[in-house]
């Protein structure tokens, strides 16, 4: 491990400490939430020490695991990247295999699991696993339609589950992508979560078309009023063919971080922008630099947008997979894989990424 990469891990750990301190700050009006996030902050510090011990043994353990636990979804959204990148799904991991992977991640000191799909709540049994790992945060990317009262009751018991409900803007933008009436249903769901004083957020895909809506104070205030405490802005990545025009423009990108900072000053909520916040701590976090991605079949990949792997967790341990030559080559060539236009470099330069895989 080079000094540069070592320094980066210290920066990322410090950034996560700030992130969890902010968690405590924005939940301070709800004592039970604040107490939980304070405990989580202590667990995060302990996990960082665990990762450092593995690092000294030559195992580069990232703090974050992106885990796509299913391809199944109850919606058919326009431009779904999952269906574009992975049109032919193989056999998914069993519940037992999912549980074993989370157990291995926990033992290695991975303390932050970002759960995606498909639609994660279609695998309800997964939340029998999460209840056993109170020292891990499970951030769930969801379309929100399966957040019924039964699921809300589970989240109320498991404060380490944080739903991130996906929106494309207001009613016109969201319904245009996800289907008629979806936005109003999601707004009702968010109000239910607020009444239960549950911590939740929203994932907002920024495009050149919805930029003005999503970055407007009126839109953010409307979501704040529904109880939303966590805003993740993700710039559109042109995975779907002939959609490059939907990428945010250069002038829009130049303004976004200042806009996000103004939101942080105005509202008691968490605001994160990707790739902007990544750039401020060293660029792309993929390939184990800050996170790894595990597919629904158990393939260990550099990123959800780079569906290439030389290790499968049905055959090897997570510890061994983190030492993959393929992931190491991507980390070593990080600068060459940088994309200056805001798109995912691992996807934009996927020919280079695939060549690293062939060189094994």
């Amino acid at each position: 491990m080079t000094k540069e990469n070592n320094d980066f891990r210290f920066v990322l750990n410090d950034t996560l400490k700030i992130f969890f301190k902010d968690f405590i700050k924005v939940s301070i009006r709800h004592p039970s939430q604040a107490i939980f996030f304070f405990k989580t902050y202590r667990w995060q510090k302990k996990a960082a020490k665990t990762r450092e011990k593995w690092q000294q043994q030559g195992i580069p353990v990232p703090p974050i695991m992106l885990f796509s636990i299913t391809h199944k979804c109850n919606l058919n959204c326009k431009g779904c990247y999952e269906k574009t990148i992975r049109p032919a799904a193989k056999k998914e991991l069993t519940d037992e295999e999912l549980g074993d992977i989370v157990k291995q991640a926990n033992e290695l000191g991975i303390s932050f699991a970002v759960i995606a799909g498909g639609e994660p709540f279609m695998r309800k049994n997964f939340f029998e696993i999460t209840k056993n790992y109170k020292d891990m945060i499970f951030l769930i990317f969801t379309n929100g339609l399966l957040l019924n009262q039964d699921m809300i009751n589970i989240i109320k018991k498991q404060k380490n589950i944080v739903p991130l409900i996906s929106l494309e803007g207001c009613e016109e933008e969201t319904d245009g992508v996800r289907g008629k009436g979806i936005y109003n249903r999601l707004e009702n769901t968010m109000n239910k979560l607020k009444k239960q004083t549950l911590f939740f957020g929203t994932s907002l895909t920024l495009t050149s078309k919805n930029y003005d809506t999503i970055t407007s104070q009126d839109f953010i205030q409307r979501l704040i009023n529904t109880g939303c405490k966590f805003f993740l802005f993700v710039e559109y990545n042109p995975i779907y063919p002939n959609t490059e025009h939907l990428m945010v423009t250069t002038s829009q990108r130049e303004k976004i971080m200042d806009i996000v900072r103004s939101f942080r000053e105005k509202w008691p909520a968490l605001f994160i922008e990707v790739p902007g916040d990544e750039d401020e701590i060293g660029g792309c976090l993929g390939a184990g630099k800050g996170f790894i991605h595990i597919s629904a079949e158990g393939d260990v990949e550099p990123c959800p947008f780079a569906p290439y792997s030389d290790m499968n967790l049905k055959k090897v341990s997570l510890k061994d997979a983190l030492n993959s030559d393929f992931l190491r080559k991507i980390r070593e060539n990080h600068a060459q894989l940088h994309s200056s236009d805001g798109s995912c470099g691992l996807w934009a330069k996927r020919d280079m990424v695939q060549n690293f895989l062939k060189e094994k």
Side-chain angles (χ1 to χ4, degrees), residues 159-276:
K159 291 183 171 60
N160 57 334
I161 297 175
V162 179
L164 268 188
I165 299 172
S166 297
L167 297 172
E168 269 68 42
C170 292
E171 185 173 359
E172 180 182 354
E173 295 92 349
T174 298
D175 287 5
V177 172
R178 299 182 178 270
K180 187 173 177 59
I182 297 294
Y183 182 83
N184 287 333
R185 288 176 64 183
L186 294 179
E187 198 167 47
N188 288 335
T189 295
M190 288 188 279
N191 281 315
K192 287 180 182 178
L193 293 170
K194 179 183 179 180
K195 287 180 181 177
Q196 298 289 330
T197 66
L198 296 177
F199 193 98
F200 71 94
T202 181
S203 171
L204 302 163
T205 301
L206 276 170
T207 71
S208 57
K209 288 189 173 182
N210 69 12
Y211 182 93
D212 289 340
T213 297
I214 285 181
T215 59
S216 71
Q217 293 202 9
D218 287 345
F219 176 70
I220 300 300
Q221 183 64 65
R222 183 173 178 177
L223 288 172
I224 291 284
N225 291 344
T226 67
C228 187
K229 295 286 182 64
F230 184 4
F231 294 78
L232 178 64
F233 301 90
V234 182
E235 293 180 26
Y236 178 74
N237 191 29
I239 298 296
Y240 204 71
N242 303 316
T243 60
E244 289 80 8
H245 64 285
L246 291 175
M247 292 179 64
V248 296
T249 66
T250 300
S251 62
Q252 288 172 333
R253 185 173 297 109
E254 288 173 349
K255 298 173 186 175
I256 184 60
M257 287 309 296
D258 286 337
I259 291 172
V260 169
R261 290 186 188 101
S262 72
F263 291 165
R264 289 169 181 160
E265 292 174 1
K266 183 177 177 65
W267 286 291
L270 296 174
F271 295 91
I272 294 177
E273 202 275 343
V274 177

Side-chain angles (χ1 to χ4, degrees), residues 43-94:
W43 290 329
Q44 292 293 318
K45 291 174 68 176
K46 181 180 178 181
K49 291 179 180 178
T50 300
R51 294 194 297 271
E52 185 58 30
K53 289 179 181 177
W54 285 113
Q55 186 64 54
Q56 292 170 4
Q57 297 179 44
I59 310 296
V61 181
I64 301 167
M65 172 177 69
L66 307 187
F67 198 174
S68 297
I69 62 173
T70 184
H71 297 292
K72 298 173 185 175
C73 188
N74 53 327
L75 283 180
N76 188 25
C77 300
K78 294 179 182 177
C80 174
Y81 84 85
E82 170 74 7
K83 292 177 181 176
T84 303
I85 293 178
R86 307 170 195 273
K90 301 175 185 176
K91 186 177 180 181
E92 295 182 356
L93 295 162
T94 65

Side-chain angles (χ1 to χ4, degrees), residues 93-142:
L93 295 162
T94 65
D95 291 344
E96 290 75 19
E97 288 167 336
L98 289 178
D100 184 58
I101 290 170
V102 174
K103 180 176 183 289
Q104 290 181 62
N106 180 262
E107 290 172 349
L108 290 168
I110 295 176
S111 51
F112 201 102
V114 179
I115 308 301
E119 170 51 50
F121 286 116
M122 292 197 75
R123 292 201 71 167
K124 191 173 180 180
N125 286 348
F126 182 73
F127 302 97
E128 289 295 309
I129 298 169
T130 56
K131 70 180 182 182
N132 298 319
Y133 299 94
K134 295 180 181 179
D135 53 347
M136 294 178 70
I137 291 288
F138 294 90
L139 196 67
I140 316 292
F141 278 82
T142 176

